[in-house]
Amino acid sequence: MIQLTHLRAADYPRMPWKNGGGSTEEIARDTGDGLDGFGWRLSIADIAESGGFSSFAGYQRVITVLQGAGMQLTIDGEDVRPLLPLDAFAFSGASQVDCTLLEGAIRDFNLIYCPQRYVARLQWLDGQQRFFTQAHTLLLFSAAEQAWVDTGSAPVQALGRYDCLRLEGNRGLLEVALDGLCCVIELTAR
């Protein structure tokens, strides 16, 4: 049976960055405490100034700018394309990453996962969308003021801005209908 949890942005715990340079609001994770032991973790970070990212060796990272003009990343000494709002970008957690803000502070959205433990898929969908998933864990993160999610197995869920709907225990082909700007994260244990 699918377990459905509505995570509200107002309730996300704030924790310090691994490198001590700022703080993150943790949305959800599979297991573990602090910054160790998790297989996957979803969070929002506020970046007020240019600087280095924390290292997460053994993990893959996918980052998306939520608010602000964007940022330019330098990964292992190489500049990558500028990251603009809602433009997801993946990189190794072991890389040395420096960030230059384009026009002031930003807020970003992060998926960090262990590829030896999980297969992950992340995509942004906008408007009325319908999709099917076999992922055991499904996370639906709203970047809209209000979004609606219908899984057919529970009442339609209304998500506020930065709320997240977490579905665990999917064992079949699940049909999901969305209305609003959402990030869909599918996670399946290896």
Side-chain angles (χ1 to χ4, degrees):
M1 180 165 176
I2 294 175
Q3 179 183 359
L4 191 91
T5 308
H6 187 151
L7 305 168
R8 300 191 190 285
D11 299 331
Y12 298 154
R14 188 166 283 281
M15 58 181 24
W17 288 353
K18 196 172 182 180
N19 69 7
S23 64
T24 293
E25 292 177 14
E26 185 174 88
I27 299 168
R29 66 166 59 214
D30 65 336
T31 59
D33 292 316
L35 295 174
D36 297 310
F38 62 86
W40 62 264
R41 177 176 177 247
L42 202 60
S43 63
I44 297 172
D46 292 304
I47 302 177
E49 57 189 38
S50 299
F53 278 25
S54 300
S55 175
F56 283 91
Y59 290 87
Q60 182 72 24
R61 297 180 70 168
V62 184
I63 191 168
T64 305
V65 174
L66 290 176
Q67 292 175 290
M71 64 182 154
Q72 175 73 53
L73 296 183
T74 303
I75 299 178
D76 296 327
E78 299 288 325
D79 286 343
V80 299
R81 62 180 163 73
L83 302 184
L84 304 176
L86 304 179
D87 179 20
F89 183 77
F91 58 95
S92 169
S95 292
Q96 180 181 346
V97 180
D98 290 302
C99 157
T100 302
L101 300 177
L102 298 181
E103 293 178 24
I106 65 165
R107 179 167 248 216
D108 67 25
F109 176 71
N110 301 276
L111 170 65
I112 302 175
Y113 70 96
C114 179
Q116 287 74 35
R117 294 167 58 188
Y118 286 92
V119 174
R121 180 176 184 218
L122 181 148
Q123 61 183 325
W124 285 91
L125 299 176
D126 195 7
Q128 292 183 343
Q129 302 281 331
R130 186 175 303 278
F131 67 94
F132 296 87
T133 184
Q134 288 185 300
H136 182 265
T137 299
L138 182 66
L139 301 162
L140 301 159
F141 174 80
S142 172
E145 289 301 320
Q146 190 148 40
W148 290 267
V149 179
D150 185 358
T151 62
S153 61
V156 173
Q157 300 288 309
L159 301 178
R161 186 172 191 169
Y162 302 152
D163 286 357
C164 185
L165 191 63
R166 179 177 178 170
L167 290 87
E168 292 280 353
N170 182 31
R171 303 224 182 277
L173 188 61
L174 179 66
E175 180 178 1
V176 179
L178 294 176
D179 189 0
L181 177 60
C182 290
C183 187
V184 177
I185 298 107
E186 298 168 274
L187 295 154
T188 301
R190 289 194 180 271

